[in-house]
Amino acid sequence: MYFFLYEEEFGPFFCEECPVPHLYFGWAVSKEMLGRIGLNCPCLVGLMVCANGPEPLDEELIRIAERCKSLTAIGLGECEVTCSGFVEFVKMCGGRLTQLSIMEEVLIPDDSYNMEQIHGEVSKHLGRLWLPDMMPTW
């Protein structure tokens, strides 16, 4: 399911359980909407969020990891998540995450992890080498 909607147009979506397997948000999506996805989309397999805003998505990602047991792919573009929140998300999903595409700029260092530590910790929980995607500096 592809969404290219403005914030005010999301109102009727994901207010109750929805058996959608793949979601792609081409424009900004709110924390509230992502929270509703975590609560109401238990069959979710793939999630792509192109943009969110200046608030970390830790709680929303953790809720998605808790409730969406089939999630195998996630991509985050212009969003923010703390390093410890991201590690917690990956711990909960573990090796079932076959596709994990996160831009380096998304990750916010915190008291638990910095940018040098996070790839090792995430790799450990995935069971394979993982590095954040990097924006080319042309």
Side-chain angles (χ1 to χ4, degrees):
M1 188 177 279
Y2 289 87
F3 283 93
F4 291 94
L5 300 174
Y6 294 105
E7 187 62 36
E8 61 274 5
E9 298 173 304
F10 279 116
F13 295 99
F14 311 113
C15 292
E16 54 190 53
E17 193 162 309
C18 182
V20 63
H22 301 279
L23 287 172
Y24 176 93
F25 292 96
W27 291 341
V29 61
S30 69
K31 287 174 60 92
E32 177 193 358
M33 176 60 66
L34 290 172
R36 290 191 337 218
I37 289 166
L39 290 173
N40 297 313
C41 298
C43 300
L44 191 64
V45 174
L47 175 64
M48 177 63 189
V49 178
C50 290
N52 167 260
E55 298 178 58
L57 297 175
D58 297 9
E59 293 174 22
E60 292 73 20
L61 288 178
I62 289 168
R63 183 177 300 132
I64 288 169
E66 286 173 344
R67 308 240 332 161
C68 304
K69 299 296 185 188
S70 299
L71 188 71
T72 60
I74 189 163
L76 298 176
E78 295 179 27
C79 304
E80 288 188 356
V81 63
T82 65
C83 288
S84 57
F86 184 63
V87 168
E88 184 63 26
F89 169 78
V90 173
K91 276 184 194 177
M92 295 173 78
C93 293
R96 76 174 192 239
L97 284 175
T98 58
Q99 296 178 18
L100 184 59
S101 179
I102 309 296
M103 296 301 296
E104 184 177 47
E105 294 80 14
V106 168
L107 299 168
I108 302 169
D110 55 25
D111 294 338
S112 301
Y113 301 99
N114 62 34
M115 294 307 291
E116 289 77 37
Q117 298 167 316
I118 191 163
H119 68 85
E121 191 66 19
V122 169
S123 295
K124 177 175 78 175
H125 295 294
L126 287 176
R128 65 179 187 281
L129 179 63
W130 177 83
L131 295 168
D133 296 334
M134 297 197 176
M135 186 70 69
T137 55
W138 318 56

mmCIF file of all heavy atoms in Angstrom, residues 28-29 51-56 78-80:
data_model
loop_
_atom_site.group_PDB
_atom_site.id
_atom_site.type_symbol
_atom_site.label_atom_id
_atom_site.label_comp_id
_atom_site.label_asym_id
_atom_site.label_seq_id
_atom_site.Cartn_x
_atom_site.Cartn_y
_atom_site.Cartn_z
ATOM 1 N N ALA A 28 5.894 12.713 4.381
ATOM 2 C CA ALA A 28 5.992 12.664 5.844
ATOM 3 C C ALA A 28 4.799 11.941 6.468
ATOM 4 O O ALA A 28 3.670 12.054 5.995
ATOM 5 C CB ALA A 28 6.082 14.083 6.404
ATOM 6 N N VAL A 29 5.076 11.192 7.504
ATOM 7 C CA VAL A 29 4.049 10.490 8.265
ATOM 8 C C VAL A 29 4.301 10.788 9.750
ATOM 9 O O VAL A 29 5.442 10.847 10.184
ATOM 10 C CB VAL A 29 4.064 8.974 7.970
ATOM 11 C CG1 VAL A 29 5.383 8.346 8.339
ATOM 12 C CG2 VAL A 29 2.924 8.274 8.658
ATOM 13 N N ALA A 51 9.956 10.025 5.377
ATOM 14 C CA ALA A 51 10.211 11.175 6.238
ATOM 15 C C ALA A 51 9.250 11.156 7.406
ATOM 16 O O ALA A 51 8.155 10.613 7.317
ATOM 17 C CB ALA A 51 10.045 12.476 5.447
ATOM 18 N N ASN A 52 9.696 11.766 8.499
ATOM 19 C CA ASN A 52 8.840 11.859 9.666
ATOM 20 C C ASN A 52 8.874 13.241 10.262
ATOM 21 O O ASN A 52 7.912 13.957 10.221
ATOM 22 C CB ASN A 52 9.233 10.806 10.705
ATOM 23 C CG ASN A 52 8.586 11.053 12.037
ATOM 24 O OD1 ASN A 52 9.229 11.589 12.918
ATOM 25 N ND2 ASN A 52 7.321 10.729 12.172
ATOM 26 N N GLY A 53 9.938 13.628 10.830
ATOM 27 C CA GLY A 53 10.017 14.920 11.501
ATOM 28 C C GLY A 53 11.126 14.905 12.533
ATOM 29 O O GLY A 53 11.900 13.964 12.617
ATOM 30 N N PRO A 54 11.168 15.936 13.371
ATOM 31 C CA PRO A 54 12.287 16.087 14.300
ATOM 32 C C PRO A 54 12.169 15.322 15.615
ATOM 33 O O PRO A 54 13.006 15.486 16.480
ATOM 34 C CB PRO A 54 12.291 17.595 14.560
ATOM 35 C CG PRO A 54 10.849 17.975 14.459
ATOM 36 C CD PRO A 54 10.285 17.096 13.367
ATOM 37 N N GLU A 55 11.155 14.485 15.789
ATOM 38 C CA GLU A 55 11.001 13.749 17.038
ATOM 39 C C GLU A 55 11.407 12.289 16.843
ATOM 40 O O GLU A 55 10.986 11.659 15.888
ATOM 41 C CB GLU A 55 9.558 13.797 17.508
ATOM 42 C CG GLU A 55 9.056 15.190 17.814
ATOM 43 C CD GLU A 55 7.599 15.163 18.227
ATOM 44 O OE1 GLU A 55 7.286 14.470 19.209
ATOM 45 O OE2 GLU A 55 6.800 15.810 17.548
ATOM 46 N N PRO A 56 12.213 11.735 17.751
ATOM 47 C CA PRO A 56 12.624 10.331 17.624
ATOM 48 C C PRO A 56 11.431 9.370 17.607
ATOM 49 O O PRO A 56 10.442 9.574 18.305
ATOM 50 C CB PRO A 56 13.494 10.103 18.861
ATOM 51 C CG PRO A 56 13.979 11.457 19.240
ATOM 52 C CD PRO A 56 12.853 12.391 18.886
ATOM 53 N N GLU A 78 14.289 10.223 6.038
ATOM 54 C CA GLU A 78 14.484 11.442 6.815
ATOM 55 C C GLU A 78 13.664 11.383 8.101
ATOM 56 O O GLU A 78 12.642 12.032 8.235
ATOM 57 C CB GLU A 78 14.103 12.654 5.981
ATOM 58 C CG GLU A 78 15.010 12.839 4.795
ATOM 59 C CD GLU A 78 14.610 14.035 3.948
ATOM 60 O OE1 GLU A 78 14.009 14.988 4.491
ATOM 61 O OE2 GLU A 78 14.880 14.013 2.753
ATOM 62 N N CYS A 79 14.132 10.569 9.031
ATOM 63 C CA CYS A 79 13.493 10.367 10.328
ATOM 64 C C CYS A 79 14.559 10.513 11.400
ATOM 65 O O CYS A 79 15.711 10.756 11.089
ATOM 66 C CB CYS A 79 12.897 8.956 10.418
ATOM 67 S SG CYS A 79 11.730 8.551 9.127
ATOM 68 N N GLU A 80 14.149 10.327 12.640
ATOM 69 C CA GLU A 80 15.113 10.296 13.734
ATOM 70 C C GLU A 80 14.758 9.156 14.674
ATOM 71 O O GLU A 80 13.593 8.923 14.967
ATOM 72 C CB GLU A 80 15.109 11.616 14.515
ATOM 73 C CG GLU A 80 15.718 12.765 13.755
ATOM 74 C CD GLU A 80 15.879 14.016 14.602
ATOM 75 O OE1 GLU A 80 15.444 14.024 15.772
ATOM 76 O OE2 GLU A 80 16.444 14.985 14.085
#
